[in-house]
Amino acid sequence: MVLLAWLVPGGGHFLLKRPARGAILGASVALVFLLGLMMRRHPVPARGRRLAHMVIYYGGFIGDLLAGILYFLTVWLGYSQPTCRPRH
């Protein structure tokens, strides 16, 4: 059940026979994930050993990974590549 809930956003709620919550949760996660893709964000480089940089850099990756199948689809289809360059 935990694997389904991670892989498909809202899947755990569907398994628990709460389809309304599952649909709302799944649609919310998908919408936020797609909005993040449309912003074409670039990863924040972790320069130095400052705690804030490490949290932002690794926190963004963990957040992407927790989106489940949405993250893997974007990587497999090539949409996860950043299209803008950071300013220096």
Side-chain angles (χ1 to χ4, degrees):
M1 179 167 80
V2 173
L3 184 63
L4 177 68
W6 167 72
L7 192 60
V8 179
H13 289 282
F14 281 108
L15 195 63
L16 293 172
K17 298 187 183 353
R18 295 182 174 172
R21 281 188 181 188
I24 291 171
L25 184 64
S28 299
V29 170
L31 178 66
V32 169
F33 191 82
L34 291 174
L35 288 174
L37 280 179
M38 289 190 297
M39 287 191 299
R40 297 181 180 174
R41 67 165 177 82
H42 58 273
V44 177
R47 295 183 182 163
R49 295 182 178 248
R50 296 164 102 179
L51 180 61
H53 289 155
M54 300 293 278
V55 168
I56 291 170
Y57 182 73
Y58 291 113
F61 171 72
I62 292 170
D64 287 342
L65 190 61
L66 289 177
I69 194 71
L70 297 173
Y71 172 72
F72 293 113
L73 282 175
T74 56
V75 170
W76 291 331
L77 296 175
Y79 288 108
S80 66
Q81 303 302 321
T83 58
C84 61
R85 297 185 187 267
R87 292 185 211 169
H88 294 287

